[in-house]
Amino acid sequence: MSLALTGGVAVAYACGVVGVHRLAVRRRRAQAEGYPALRWLDWDALLSGLWSAAARTPAPGLVMPEGGPASLALSSPVAPARAAAHARLVDVVAGTPIGEAELATVGFSGGEARWLSWLSQRRTAPLAVLERLEARAPLSAAEAYLSEWLCLEHRVTPLSVEWHVFAAKRRLSRAMRRFGDVPCLFFARALASSKLGFTQAVLDDLGRAVFFSKQAPFYVEAVLSMPFVEEARPPLYRVCREARLALDEERLDEAPESG
């Protein structure tokens, strides 16, 4: 009887500790309004090496399904000879599953077509794509980024959140040592921290992403879209606000004069 009582007390204590921890996580995440911008995907990072990001400002008509400003790569002017390839990239971003053969017909090579096909399936078959990525070491920062985004978005449960967060951070640290200070890797690490409501760690990595991207519109908008940043990290918010104002002025300068 004493063993049963001791065991019951131990179980109750463990459940209480876990419950208090979960409530604390929920409270921290609620204070940050759920960090919605961290679920965005940086498509310029994912399309790096496949399509030149010649545009300086995002195109207003392009919609990114996960949110955020339009990709600079997809906002760039398109030569008539590459119009079909551009159209397939837009389909990939939209989450329309596309096979490698179809992508090859518009000019993408074997490895490029495979990667784009995986990207196109991220919404319809996310775990299948994740398993393919996990079958080998990442070949690029973009692969490491997509793998961690899929894991954190589709594998994390209330019972496994700590394990997945700390495992993701370890893998991202290895990727940073291998590929360098790539902004999307810091952004993925911020997403990992957000799952436990570690707001200061989120802000640290958001700041790094903004810095190493040279204030790219994607990261600037991610910071500005989360109101808590202005109060929690005023210098970061101020830098991003100034960067946005500079981009707005640039858009006005480039806009054709009316009538």
Side-chain angles (χ1 to χ4, degrees):
M1 181 64 70
S2 60
L3 287 176
L5 178 60
T6 302
V9 171
V11 170
Y13 177 77
C15 291
V17 169
V18 171
V20 169
H21 175 65
R22 290 293 181 271
L23 287 173
V25 169
R26 180 178 296 183
R27 178 178 55 80
R28 291 194 298 264
R29 286 180 55 80
Q31 288 174 341
E33 301 181 13
Y35 311 94
L38 296 179
R39 303 181 69 181
W40 296 355
L41 275 172
D42 180 0
W43 280 98
D44 288 320
L46 296 173
L47 298 178
S48 177
L50 295 174
W51 203 264
S52 175
R56 292 178 58 83
T57 59
L62 284 172
V63 177
M64 305 292 105
E66 290 78 18
S71 157
L72 295 180
L74 294 183
S75 301
S76 302
V78 183
R82 303 220 67 191
H86 184 272
R88 293 290 76 75
L89 286 183
V90 172
D91 291 339
V92 166
V93 171
T96 303
I98 305 176
E100 295 178 38
E102 182 179 353
L103 289 159
T105 63
V106 294
F108 294 107
S109 66
E112 293 172 342
R114 183 180 308 109
W115 171 241
L116 290 173
S117 180
W118 290 359
L119 284 173
S120 75
Q121 298 171 54
R122 75 193 183 282
R123 295 172 71 85
T124 56
L127 294 180
V129 174
L130 179 57
E131 288 173 1
R132 294 182 196 125
L133 289 166
E134 291 176 333
R136 55 173 170 75
L139 302 178
S140 65
E143 284 194 9
Y145 170 46
L146 180 63
S147 179
E148 299 309 328
W149 186 87
L150 289 170
C151 179
L152 291 165
E153 285 295 290
H154 296 284
R155 275 203 184 140
V156 170
T157 68
L159 295 178
S160 67
V161 59
E162 287 88 0
W163 164 255
H164 283 303
V165 165
F166 293 118
K169 288 188 173 185
R170 284 197 302 271
R171 291 189 297 266
L172 285 166
S173 293
R174 289 197 297 268
M176 290 171 186
R177 289 194 295 270
R178 181 177 179 186
F179 301 114
D181 296 321
V182 184
C184 65
L185 298 180
F186 291 113
F187 198 67
R189 195 164 68 179
L191 174 61
S193 295
S194 76
K195 296 297 181 181
L196 289 174
F198 292 161
T199 297
Q200 293 306 314
V202 167
L203 291 169
D204 289 343
D205 278 325
L206 277 176
R208 294 181 182 106
V210 169
F211 175 79
F212 287 111
S213 71
K214 298 179 180 179
Q215 301 175 8
F218 176 85
Y219 299 107
V220 166
E221 290 304 318
V223 169
L224 296 178
S225 72
M226 295 186 285
F228 74 91
V229 178
E230 183 175 12
E231 180 179 353
R233 196 67 61 89
L236 174 60
Y237 190 89
R238 187 162 51 249
V239 164
C240 290
R241 185 177 57 192
E242 291 171 357
R244 179 199 269 173
L245 289 173
L247 281 174
D248 289 343
E249 291 177 1
E250 188 172 327
R251 288 192 187 97
L252 289 174
D253 291 341
E254 293 176 352
E257 295 183 2
S258 59

